[in-house]
Amino acid sequence: MKRFAETSSDLVRSNLAWRGRTLLLLLPSLLIVVGLFGGGLILGLMQAAGYFPGSGAESFTLEHFKNVFIHPDFFSSLLLTFYVSATSTLLAVVFSLISALLVMSMLRRFNWLHLVMQIPLVVPHLLIATAILFLLSPTGFLSRLAHALQLIESPAGFPVLIHDPWLLGVILVYVWKEIPFLTLMLLSVLLNLDTRLLQVGKTLKANRWQRFRFIIFPSIFPSLSAGTLIVFAYSFGAFEVPYLLGQTYPMTLPVWAYRQYSDIDLMSRPEGIAAGLVIALVILLFVFIAYALVKKSASGRLPI
Amino acid sequence: MRRFLSGSFILVLTAGILLPFLPLLIWAFSRQWLFPDLLPETWGLRAWNYVFGVAGPQVTSALVTSVSVSSLAALFSVALALPAARVLTFSGRKRGLFLQFLFVLPILTPPLSVSMGLHLWFLKLGLTGSLPGVLLVHLTLCVPYAVFVLSGVFSNYNPLIEAQARSLGASKWFVFSRVTLPLILPGIIVAALFAFLLSWSQYLNTLIIGGSKVMTLPVLLFSLLRSGDRPVAAAVSLVIVLPAFAALLISARTLGRRAWIGGW
């Protein structure tokens, strides 16, 4: 496939008008990405730096960022957010690996399975959060089921899974969405894997683990790392799920940022924006670290 | 043994995916469902009568708003992303990498960081509380996603086939409508569905830019959840999830056995 792309790009590049034409083709989407997305970030940065042109406040200050960092709730929110995304991402990676390897050989016989696994991809986070609320709340469906089975006497006997200090309900929503997402991503690679490689491995007396480690893992590694990054970044910056299913204190960082932003006291609005930018910054930091790790592993040994 | 293991695993997976929808369905068709009862004491269409009767104008207008915003988002996303995806796939390695990075950023950055910054600017332009404002803020997310779905499509596409058609005397427009478009149409449909669903499920973005004036279905669902009327919230949830299932079936028909993310 790459060959097509490269020959054609040589062909196109020989054209003198290439630059102009490319720019013209890119312009509409760049207007959105650079103009609106980049613009939003830059305008946010200006507001978080206390710069409001035309309103008298026309000097830059780091005070709002400082207020975010020294806020008593900031550090616990950061830790909580990291805990939620790291836990759900880790669970999703482990279970998607297991399910991809188990499902792989069955997929041809169970055609409908592919469709079922795509359901979580299209269901909005907000909606599955609502469904989990009805399922796991103290008077929810599972609690009623436990009562019918005479496991509990009253709603108080049911374990607290919603608005709980460990954010189990929140993690469950992410895992519900992310396991099928990562599984499908892995399957799209695994089903195209040259099975002769595995046969060669068998011939050379590689055991099951060795075949996974040296044949399957290297081929799924690029998709898996990209998928993991997307999943982590999403759960780190998501608002709806922890807002609906999380506890009131401490809040995850996005919920905290929005609370600051929408506070009646307009003075805390720049702090909300600053917190939002800190979230984006943390995610970018992770992206760079992950990118560096992947790049290093691609040139030499895998990090495992 | 191994077959039994995989079989039961598939059962657990399917049950796990479908189970959360069960209470949603029951709530939407229940009249009274007090705690210890496993099933409602009385079933009924009270929630639906409320949704399309008493609260009808509100729900219908939210439905219309959601459908308009998301359809426009899908339309604009594909139109803007198509040329970009083509350039992205067929440009040189170094330039391609930079552009890819540029289009990945909005996918990884949480939308709230962007919309909070945009709000003041949109306020000055008179875009807050308006449909175009909400549409624009949705596009910051939908366009990059569409670019990625479509670049997946172009990476399996040989552009030399266009040169071939041209050399046989076809006009530029003829090549586009009879050669390029039929080849990439499945990808375009999937990209449009993807952008539609992405916009369809936005909440905080819509709230920050639209305020209380642009009431989409997710915004409505949130306020219903806060009021605590479970049957009505469940009914609105089903209204929200229906297009998602429809999109899934359409894409399954369009793509056959390939998955959505197969193109990535």
Side-chain angles (χ1 to χ4, degrees):
Chain A
M1 292 310 148
K2 192 140 281 160
R3 218 169 42 222
F4 292 152
E6 272 165 16
T7 37
S8 71
S9 75
D10 289 343
L11 213 75
V12 179
R13 217 171 305 159
S14 66
N15 193 336
L16 274 174
W18 185 77
R19 266 163 189 275
R21 212 177 83 99
T22 314
L23 204 66
L24 205 67
L25 288 173
L26 278 173
L27 201 64
S29 51
L30 281 183
L31 269 178
I32 297 288
V33 172
V34 177
L36 276 180
F37 170 77
L41 287 182
I42 290 167
L43 289 166
L45 198 63
M46 278 162 59
Q47 291 170 63
Y51 180 74
F52 295 91
S55 69
E58 290 185 5
S59 58
F60 290 94
T61 167
L62 283 175
E63 200 188 338
H64 300 300
F65 280 101
K66 200 186 103 197
N67 286 344
V68 167
F69 286 121
I70 62 169
H71 197 286
D73 296 346
F74 173 77
F75 196 65
S76 53
S77 287
L78 181 69
L79 267 182
L80 187 74
T81 316
F82 183 76
Y83 151 76
V84 169
S85 358
T87 311
S88 55
T89 307
L90 195 71
L91 286 173
V93 168
V94 170
F95 281 102
S96 65
L97 265 173
I98 294 171
S99 65
L101 292 172
L102 278 175
V103 162
M104 200 175 135
S105 55
M106 312 283 278
L107 213 55
R108 256 171 252 293
R109 271 196 295 139
F110 299 95
N111 256 327
W112 49 269
L113 193 62
H114 220 234
L115 201 66
V116 169
M117 278 200 297
Q118 287 181 62
I119 291 176
L121 262 63
V122 296
V123 172
H125 274 89
L126 169 70
L127 203 107
I128 182 62
T130 309
I132 293 285
L133 185 73
F134 291 175
L135 189 71
L136 295 184
S137 74
T139 57
F141 192 69
L142 282 192
S143 173
R144 289 159 197 260
L145 203 64
H147 186 271
L149 296 171
Q150 296 185 324
L151 292 172
I152 59 167
E153 295 264 301
S154 68
F158 193 70
V160 187
L161 299 172
I162 301 293
H163 311 304
D164 59 312
W166 292 101
L167 278 83
L168 294 174
V170 179
I171 291 174
L172 190 71
V173 168
Y174 289 144
V175 167
W176 185 87
K177 284 221 36 131
E178 289 159 3
I179 291 178
F181 170 73
L182 289 176
T183 305
L184 286 171
M185 214 162 181
L186 291 175
L187 281 175
S188 75
V189 182
L190 284 174
L191 293 176
N192 291 321
L193 188 69
D194 191 347
T195 46
R196 283 176 304 179
L197 280 174
L198 292 172
Q199 283 160 13
V200 170
K202 259 186 193 164
T203 321
L204 295 173
K205 291 210 159 47
N207 63 30
R208 196 173 283 240
W209 161 250
Q210 286 170 323
R211 290 200 301 267
F212 171 76
R213 168 65 185 83
F214 294 106
I215 301 171
I216 294 179
F217 190 74
S219 52
I220 57 176
F221 185 68
S223 311
L224 186 64
S225 47
T228 308
L229 210 60
I230 292 175
V231 159
F232 181 87
Y234 186 87
S235 52
F236 198 90
F239 172 82
E240 289 99 318
V241 186
Y243 186 66
L244 265 181
L245 303 180
Q247 56 192 355
T248 35
Y249 183 86
M251 304 169 220
T252 66
L253 220 45
V255 179
W256 187 70
Y258 181 68
R259 277 278 156 79
Q260 297 283 317
Y261 176 81
S262 59
D263 200 287
I264 310 162
D265 177 12
L266 282 180
M267 290 311 285
S268 60
R269 178 164 280 207
E271 269 141 51
I273 299 176
L277 290 171
V278 170
I279 298 170
L281 208 68
V282 172
I283 290 174
L284 276 188
L285 210 65
F286 275 109
V287 173
F288 278 120
I289 293 171
Y291 181 73
L293 281 177
V294 170
K295 206 175 166 190
K296 204 172 170 188
S297 70
S299 60
R301 255 180 54 80
L302 292 172
I304 292 183
Chain B
M1 183 61 201
R2 198 184 145 80
R3 179 171 291 184
F4 173 74
L5 210 74
S6 316
S8 42
F9 181 78
I10 286 177
L11 211 68
V12 171
L13 194 72
T14 310
I17 289 173
L18 296 180
L19 181 69
F21 296 106
L22 190 62
L24 219 54
L25 267 174
I26 302 177
W27 270 115
F29 294 98
S30 67
R31 180 176 283 274
Q32 194 172 20
W33 194 17
L34 297 174
F35 168 66
D37 302 332
L38 192 55
L39 290 173
E41 200 178 328
T42 41
W43 297 79
L45 293 174
R46 182 191 76 84
W48 296 97
N49 283 334
Y50 180 79
V51 163
F52 289 108
V54 183
Q58 200 190 11
V59 177
T60 318
S61 90
L63 188 66
V64 170
T65 308
S66 268
V67 170
S68 335
V69 170
S70 302
S71 311
L72 286 172
L75 193 76
F76 279 110
S77 297
V78 170
L80 298 179
L82 200 60
R86 203 187 154 102
V87 172
L88 209 63
T89 324
F90 302 126
S91 60
R93 183 158 273 242
K94 209 162 192 178
R95 223 186 304 256
L97 215 62
F98 174 70
L99 286 174
Q100 260 174 29
F101 179 70
L102 210 60
F103 283 106
V104 160
L105 272 185
I107 293 176
L108 294 173
T109 311
L112 98 158
S113 316
V114 182
S115 46
M116 288 195 307
L118 279 179
H119 180 260
L120 194 66
W121 191 37
F122 275 25
L123 195 69
K124 281 186 183 148
L125 294 173
L127 283 169
T128 48
S130 77
L131 211 115
V134 171
L135 176 66
L136 281 175
V137 80
H138 284 192
L139 282 181
T140 60
L141 201 60
C142 297
V143 169
Y145 264 103
V147 167
F148 271 88
V149 175
L150 289 170
S151 358
V153 174
F154 276 119
S155 69
N156 290 320
Y157 171 82
N158 182 356
L160 293 178
I161 201 167
E162 291 170 10
Q164 203 168 18
R166 293 278 286 159
S167 76
L168 293 171
S171 69
K172 267 188 174 169
W173 170 247
F174 191 87
V175 170
F176 178 74
S177 63
R178 298 293 174 86
V179 179
T180 312
L181 199 61
L183 279 171
I184 60 172
L185 195 62
I188 289 183
I189 293 173
V190 170
L193 288 173
F194 210 106
F196 181 92
L197 285 180
L198 206 62
S199 157
W200 185 255
S201 54
Q202 289 302 308
Y203 167 71
L204 192 58
N205 258 339
T206 316
L207 189 70
I208 289 175
I209 300 297
S212 54
K213 281 195 184 137
V214 183
M215 181 73 95
T216 57
L217 285 174
V219 178
L220 180 69
L221 178 61
F222 247 97
S223 64
L224 284 174
L225 282 173
R226 215 168 292 131
S227 76
D229 191 338
R230 283 194 175 184
V232 174
V236 170
S237 297
L238 292 182
V239 174
I240 294 179
V241 86
L242 221 58
F245 282 111
L248 187 59
L249 289 176
I250 297 171
S251 83
R253 289 195 76 152
T254 316
L255 286 183
R257 285 178 54 92
R258 276 176 294 162
W260 288 54
I261 41 183
W264 289 18

